[in-house]
Amino acid sequence: MKFYKNYFEEIVAYDLLTKFIFKQSSDFPKITKIILSLEYKNPSSIQLISSLLALEIIGIQKASLITTSKPNINIKIRKGQPIGCKVTLRNTNIYNFLSNFLLIILPQDRQLKPIQIKNKKSYNLSLKFNGILTFSELENYYQFFKLVSNLSVVIVTNSNSLAEFLFLLVSLKLPCVKKII
């Protein structure tokens, strides 16, 4: 959806110019990518296939499998065994997902807790989203996606300071942002 892209390029860029000092326009904090992932401890092939399909429908691009790099004897996982899937959204797919997620999905979620920012070195936002079936594309096919676990959404930015990062989060119009310093 173009309105989110225009919103970031026009309004948020102007607000950043008035609030912070930048030498170049390329120094503006932006959302560089969004990572959507579904992970399991011991997935069955049905769970992996349905989660791959769900991520491809939500992210509008091809999903890839996540495999283990080390074996874990405690939970009986071998090296190279698939444990989930992920999609990395960039460019216009970021704005398509954000418009759907922030305008339709998050207002419907009644269990959303305040977002806490813990790490001061990398300014990324991580969300665990329980209701994956609230996506309108998936709710019509409940029987295929009922085994899908919680969706992990990671919003990666190129912010240089905590103030810029918080300003970017507030400009996203997230329902709840809680700052922890």
Side-chain angles (χ1 to χ4, degrees), residues 18-155:
T18 58
K19 186 154 181 135
F20 302 103
I21 298 172
F22 297 105
K23 293 182 180 177
Q24 298 175 350
S25 64
S26 63
D27 294 340
F28 288 162
K30 298 175 189 167
I31 299 173
T32 56
K33 62 184 172 180
I34 296 178
I35 302 168
L36 308 173
S37 64
L38 296 165
E39 296 181 7
Y40 304 96
K41 289 186 180 176
N42 286 322
S44 66
S45 60
I46 295 172
Q47 283 179 325
L48 285 175
I49 291 170
S50 62
S51 61
L52 270 173
L53 185 60
L55 282 181
E56 286 181 10
I57 291 172
I58 293 170
I60 315 171
Q61 69 185 40
K62 188 171 171 80
S64 61
L65 285 175
I66 301 171
T67 58
T68 59
S69 57
K70 296 179 182 178
N72 191 341
I73 296 172
N74 294 335
I75 55 177
K76 298 178 184 175
I77 293 180
R78 296 183 193 127
K79 180 180 177 182
Q81 184 177 356
I83 56 168
C85 55
K86 72 174 183 173
V87 171
T88 303
L89 305 175
R90 298 180 193 273
N91 301 330
T92 57
N93 288 341
I94 288 174
Y95 299 110
N96 291 335
F97 176 76
L98 276 178
S99 64
N100 189 13
F101 190 68
L102 294 175
L103 296 176
I104 299 170
I105 304 303
L106 278 184
Q108 292 178 0
D109 189 19
R110 294 187 180 105
Q111 299 174 352
L112 188 66
K113 296 177 182 173
I115 298 165
Q116 298 180 354
I117 303 158
K118 295 178 182 174
N119 193 354
K120 295 182 182 179
K121 293 182 181 177
S122 66
Y123 299 109
N124 303 330
L125 176 68
S126 299
L127 297 169
K128 282 277 191 186
F129 186 66
N130 296 331
I132 194 167
L133 290 174
T134 56
F135 284 94
S136 61
E137 300 91 4
L138 300 180
E139 72 181 343
N140 296 334
Y141 304 104
Y142 170 77
Q143 66 273 14
F144 297 119
F145 303 116
K146 64 183 175 184
L147 298 175
V148 176
S149 71
N150 298 335
L151 178 68
S152 237
V153 179
V154 179
I155 299 175

